[in-house]
Amino acid sequence: MTLKQLEAFYLAATCASFAVAAQRLHLSISSLSKRIVELEQSLGETLFDRAGHRAALTPAGVRLLPHAAGMLESAQKLLASLGKEAGLSGRCRFGVGELTALTWLPRLLTQASLAFPQLTLEPYVDIGTVLERGVGDGELDFAVVAGRSSRSALASHSIGEARFLWVVATRLAPPGMGAAALLATLPLVTLHIGAGTTRILDQWLAQQEVAAERRLSCNGWGAVAGMLVDGVGVGFLPEGWARALAQRGQLRILDGQAALAPLHYTFQSRRDEPRLLVAKMREIITRVADFSATSALF
Amino acid sequence: MTLKQLEAFYLAATCASFAVAAQRLHLSISSLSKRIVELEQSLGETLFDRAGHRAALTPAGVRLLPHAAGMLESAQKLLASLGKEAGLSGRCRFGVGELTALTWLPRLLTQASLAFPQLTLEPYVDIGTVLERGVGDGELDFAVVAGRSSRSALASHSIGEARFLWVVATRLAPPGMGAAALLATLPLVTLHIGAGTTRILDQWLAQQEVAAERRLSCNGWGAVAGMLVDGVGVGFLPEGWARALAQRGQLRILDGQAALAPLHYTFQSRRDEPRLLVAKMREIITRVADFSATSALF
DNA sequence: CGCGTTTACGCCTCACGTAAACATC
DNA sequence: GATGTTTACGTGAGGCGTAAACGCG
């Protein structure tokens, strides 16, 4: 029994497939498979049931899992007690929404690479549901997404909220007009369904008893902002963007009485995540996250 | 960093020398040395100071030691949680006094090999001081010796007491005569100084205000018993032996008012001993130990 | 010079990746 | 046939023991 075998077992047991686990170990699938077979031989127990389409933990494997996690955690603490940077090297893959990518992600990368010079940071930008699946499958160490996770295997920690303001091109509407009224004549320009803002938008529409008859969705905030500036329709933008564009006179903020609810963002990772690094990254993110920040693009 | 490296480090740090540690790992000294060098390289810390005649732990080594012990213990528990016999295989070296060897050691070996079929038991018979040094140096996993240890690194657990009776050859003395009186004319036949009985003998002599003018010592109870039967002098034997030989008429028990104090035996192991096996062996020994048992030789 | 540790070297096992085979859906 | 895991095999690094060297008492 070796630590490498235990690590391979732990990841294979917690990731969606051997392929994902192998990727996270920088190992070929075949080598991962052999490591696990060798662990099984050294323990004299079958840990995975390969009968079905995908390998499933046997009862012995289930019994072993917490012990293996404990060993790996002990090993990490051992390393942490000596070399400070130990355990905080290697790669860290994580997911963020586009809003994050365009606001505080650069600052996060600066801070994190300052704190962990040995660490290779690999952010993936995608919509929340994709990121959640990535964390669940073990492809990502964590993700910052809107709202709490519906997956019981993931733990959510609130890290802040983003506020949005309804806007429209200055030339399309006189001052004082509300978003609800404009939606009667202008199309709604927003993100694709599945993005984090979908929920607060639906909530707002229901509350206002307004239906968005014409709807135009795109998969990026940058494109949405561009369309709104060009006068394609009415929509909402992150507060910082809206204020920056309004100040330049390109957009008018529709600050009627009915504002969009703030969108809460959470840090999501596996509930059984043993890596110290993930906890440290959460600390930094909690400190750095600021969804009202203006993008460096402006 | 591997478990083998940590194990090598742990043993090298707790044993008297690399040679002893290597012996316990069934490894050559050179391989042990390399394992430790490799651990140092992987941790980026020097763990042993090789400046002096013998390797000594550096501060970093001292910091690492408890972590390494914890890892090894976790590994053991992991194995114990799956395969029952796991962790209880391999070799177990321990020391016992000759009295133990001639009374309950056979029963211990029977019981222990029944409880741990995979285990190779290696008892070493010697006098207490030698055994204590062996445990302290790491050559022995534990020892059963008379009295508590004077070494602070060893933990002592009482497991029973042995009683001794003064005897003399039947033909040498009429009934009713005491040992103190006989010592005036007959030599004292006893074990070498350093044996566990030395203390209770000295105590008895002081209490009786008797000096053993002629003294004849040997390094084995069997030889002492033989000499006493042959009428070489007066001496004492373990209670069971004395009664067995008296019943056959070969010896007379000198049951005067002044009996020897009972000799307390303790189970001694390293205070930081992490092996489950040692605790289990102590349980069995506590159950099995019986110093009044008659040797199978009779 | 003895003792304890390290270095040098030849040997062999072990762990890796590529590629093919196998099994399940 | 697509996906997921294992087997076959050639290669290279790593761990082993023997033997010689080093360094301190």
Side-chain angles (χ1 to χ4, degrees):
Chain A
M1 182 182 66
T2 70
L3 287 173
K4 284 185 174 184
Q5 287 170 356
L6 289 173
E7 191 180 22
F9 166 73
Y10 176 78
L11 278 171
T14 54
C15 289
S17 69
F18 280 26
V20 174
Q23 194 184 9
R24 294 198 52 170
L25 282 170
H26 320 307
L27 209 65
S28 72
I29 301 174
S30 109
S31 298
L32 176 79
S33 169
K34 263 209 301 199
R35 272 197 195 172
I36 291 172
V37 169
E38 284 160 6
L39 177 62
E40 288 176 323
Q41 287 171 345
S42 90
L43 295 179
E45 294 267 1
T46 304
L47 300 173
F48 282 97
D49 175 17
R50 281 93 161 172
H53 183 45
R54 51 200 316 123
L57 279 177
T58 62
V62 173
R63 281 203 307 279
L64 178 64
L65 190 53
H67 286 102
M71 289 285 295
L72 297 176
E73 201 171 0
S74 299
Q76 260 199 177
K77 285 182 180 164
L78 183 154
L79 292 174
S81 77
L82 291 177
K84 290 175 289 298
E85 85 282 7
L88 302 176
S89 57
R91 289 160 76 183
C92 180
R93 306 179 180 192
F94 62 97
V96 293
E98 195 206 0
L99 179 55
T100 299
L102 291 176
T103 51
W104 51 269
L105 178 61
R107 204 171 352 147
L108 170 63
L109 295 176
T110 307
Q111 293 291 315
S113 58
L114 214 70
F116 313 124
Q118 310 274 9
L119 193 66
T120 304
L121 293 163
E122 300 186 6
Y124 289 82
V125 180
D126 215 317
I127 63 171
T129 52
V130 173
L131 298 178
E132 278 193 5
R133 189 192 53 73
V135 177
D137 287 357
E139 288 166 1
L140 300 175
D141 293 320
F142 62 85
V144 175
V145 301
R148 307 213 148 256
S149 175
S150 54
R151 296 168 181 247
S152 60
L154 301 188
S156 304
H157 297 270
S158 184
I159 57 158
E161 59 185 29
R163 295 182 174 279
F164 300 88
L165 295 176
W166 285 100
V167 292
V168 72
T170 314
R171 61 174 170 83
L172 284 186
M177 215 171 162
L182 285 168
L183 277 178
T185 56
L186 290 172
L188 170 63
V189 178
T190 182
L191 288 185
H192 282 153
I193 290 183
T197 49
T198 301
R199 190 154 30 80
I200 60 167
L201 172 61
D202 291 344
Q203 182 186 331
W204 185 88
L205 291 173
Q207 185 189 323
Q208 298 293 307
E209 295 178 352
V210 172
E213 297 184 11
R214 283 188 298 159
R215 196 157 172 166
L216 212 156
S217 69
C218 183
N219 67 344
W221 280 109
V224 167
M227 286 194 283
L228 290 171
V229 168
D230 285 351
V232 173
V234 61
F236 54 88
L237 288 178
E239 186 177 16
W241 297 25
R243 296 209 187 282
L245 292 169
Q247 198 156 13
R248 288 193 234 161
Q250 297 180 281
L251 287 178
R252 182 188 313 287
I253 292 176
L254 309 170
D255 45 2
Q257 66 286 11
L260 281 161
L263 181 56
H264 288 271
Y265 275 75
T266 56
F267 177 97
Q268 301 200 351
S269 60
R270 300 167 149 275
R271 208 170 280 286
D272 56 358
E273 174 68 59
R275 298 172 64 185
L276 234 72
L277 171 62
V278 173
K280 299 247 183 194
M281 286 297 290
R282 180 154 76 87
E283 281 176 29
I284 296 181
I285 286 175
T286 304
R287 200 168 64 237
V288 159
D290 177 9
F291 292 92
S292 67
T294 307
S295 162
L297 300 177
F298 293 99
Chain B
M1 181 183 67
T2 70
L3 287 174
K4 283 185 175 183
Q5 287 170 356
L6 289 173
E7 190 180 21
F9 166 73
Y10 176 78
L11 278 171
T14 54
C15 289
S17 70
F18 281 26
V20 174
Q23 195 183 8
R24 294 198 52 170
L25 282 171
H26 319 309
L27 209 64
S28 73
I29 300 174
S30 115
S31 297
L32 176 78
S33 169
K34 263 207 304 196
R35 273 196 194 172
I36 291 172
V37 169
E38 283 160 5
L39 177 62
E40 287 175 323
Q41 286 172 344
S42 89
L43 294 180
E45 294 268 1
T46 303
L47 301 173
F48 282 97
D49 175 18
R50 279 93 161 173
H53 183 45
R54 51 199 316 122
L57 279 178
T58 62
V62 172
R63 280 204 308 279
L64 178 63
L65 190 53
H67 286 105
M71 289 285 295
L72 297 176
E73 201 172 0
S74 300
Q76 257 197 180
K77 284 181 181 167
L78 185 153
L79 293 174
S81 78
L82 291 177
K84 291 174 290 297
E85 85 282 8
L88 302 176
S89 58
R91 290 161 75 181
C92 180
R93 306 179 179 194
F94 62 97
V96 293
E98 195 206 1
L99 179 56
T100 299
L102 291 177
T103 52
W104 52 269
L105 178 61
R107 208 174 344 152
L108 170 62
L109 296 177
T110 307
Q111 293 290 315
S113 58
L114 214 68
F116 313 124
Q118 310 274 9
L119 192 67
T120 303
L121 293 163
E122 299 185 7
Y124 289 81
V125 180
D126 215 317
I127 63 172
T129 52
V130 173
L131 298 179
E132 277 192 9
R133 189 193 52 73
V135 176
D137 286 357
E139 289 167 0
L140 299 176
D141 294 320
F142 62 85
V144 175
V145 301
R148 308 213 147 257
S149 175
S150 54
R151 294 167 182 247
S152 62
L154 301 189
S156 304
H157 296 270
S158 183
I159 58 158
E161 60 184 33
R163 297 181 173 279
F164 300 87
L165 296 176
W166 285 100
V167 291
V168 72
T170 315
R171 62 177 170 80
L172 286 186
M177 212 165 167
L182 285 168
L183 277 176
T185 57
L186 290 173
L188 171 62
V189 178
T190 183
L191 288 186
H192 282 151
I193 290 184
T197 49
T198 302
R199 188 153 33 78
I200 59 167
L201 172 61
D202 291 345
Q203 181 186 331
W204 185 88
L205 291 172
Q207 183 190 324
Q208 298 292 309
E209 295 178 350
V210 172
E213 298 185 9
R214 282 189 297 160
R215 198 156 171 165
L216 211 156
S217 69
C218 182
N219 67 344
W221 279 109
V224 168
M227 287 193 284
L228 290 172
V229 167
D230 285 351
V232 173
V234 61
F236 54 88
L237 288 178
E239 187 179 17
W241 297 26
R243 296 211 187 280
L245 293 169
Q247 198 157 15
R248 288 195 235 158
Q250 298 181 282
L251 289 178
R252 185 188 311 288
I253 294 176
L254 309 170
D255 46 0
Q257 64 287 9
L260 281 159
L263 182 56
H264 288 272
Y265 275 76
T266 57
F267 177 98
Q268 301 199 353
S269 59
R270 298 166 150 275
R271 210 170 279 285
D272 57 358
E273 173 68 60
R275 299 173 63 184
L276 233 73
L277 172 62
V278 174
K280 299 247 181 193
M281 286 297 290
R282 180 154 75 88
E283 281 176 28
I284 296 181
I285 286 174
T286 305
R287 200 169 64 238
V288 159
D290 178 9
F291 292 92
S292 66
T294 309
S295 163
L297 300 177
F298 294 99

